[in-house]
Amino acid sequence: NTGVNMVILGLLILNTHAAPKVSSWKYAPDIIICDDSQVDLQDVEIAVEFWEQRGQKFGDIAYKSNCASYHSGYIKFIGDRNLEDGYFGMTEIFEHGTGHKSITSAHIEISDYETTNLVLLTHELGHAIGYVHCSDTLDVMHVNIKKTKVKIRR
């Protein structure tokens, strides 16, 4: 017994032993795509749907031409200008409260060369809602998204 609980539905295998969630939003966050990000609205909607099917709630999703005025309360997809070499994506979350368990905002950077990678978008959105990495290759939050066996299609 590996300690992993799985539900088999036909040929679809759903891993019910999810990556750990270490913090969360107090309300459904809005998502904005800043004008310097190459991420497509429809691809973000697919990533959002993935997490909504797992119980996460989100507010509106919209493009914004000037993201500087949007601070607390948003998940922002921003350009990749600060993305470290060798990274496909990165998420920075801002938390407060006892033990920093309440997320107040998040910034997601996706490499301009990876903006159509749905697994990467979903993975980084997972960080923005409080999930951390895991070692299970059947989980979208696997530490190396190039090795995950999760498939997300348009």
Side-chain angles (χ1 to χ4, degrees):
N1 185 358
T2 64
V4 175
N5 299 318
M6 300 182 89
V7 177
I8 301 175
L9 302 172
L11 296 175
L12 177 65
I13 299 175
L14 300 174
N15 185 352
T16 60
H17 182 349
K21 189 169 188 180
V22 296
S23 55
S24 58
W25 292 80
K26 288 190 176 194
Y27 53 87
D30 289 334
I31 299 174
I32 57 176
I33 303 169
C34 301
D35 59 357
D36 62 342
S37 175
Q38 302 300 311
V39 173
D40 185 73
L41 178 71
Q42 288 77 24
D43 289 344
V44 172
E45 288 172 339
I46 292 168
V48 164
E49 182 180 347
F50 177 93
W51 289 111
E52 285 179 337
Q53 290 174 354
R54 286 149 184 83
Q56 180 66 40
K57 303 284 187 218
F58 294 93
D60 296 329
I61 307 170
Y63 286 112
K64 297 293 179 186
S65 60
N66 182 0
C67 286
S69 62
Y70 294 90
H71 299 289
S72 187
Y74 296 92
I75 296 174
K76 296 194 313 189
F77 280 88
I78 60 175
D80 70 352
R81 67 188 168 280
N82 295 319
L83 192 60
E84 296 178 30
D85 287 342
Y87 283 81
F88 299 117
M90 185 172 61
T91 300
E92 182 176 15
I93 60 172
F94 302 89
E95 304 165 300
H96 79 283
T98 305
H100 297 284
K101 298 291 183 187
S102 182
I103 303 171
T104 58
S105 64
H107 298 167
I108 300 173
E109 293 180 70
I110 302 293
S111 166
D112 286 348
Y113 303 105
E114 293 288 331
T115 58
T116 60
N117 183 333
L118 294 176
V119 173
L120 176 62
L121 293 177
T122 305
H123 175 96
E124 294 302 332
L125 188 58
H127 286 310
I129 59 175
Y131 287 94
V132 295
H133 289 140
C134 70
S135 60
D136 187 347
T137 58
L138 295 175
D139 195 304
V140 74
M141 295 309 297
H142 185 268
V143 67
N144 183 340
I145 64 135
K146 296 294 185 184
K147 292 185 178 180
T148 185
K149 294 183 172 101
V150 174
K151 304 291 184 216
I152 301 173
R153 294 181 172 80
R154 285 174 182 73

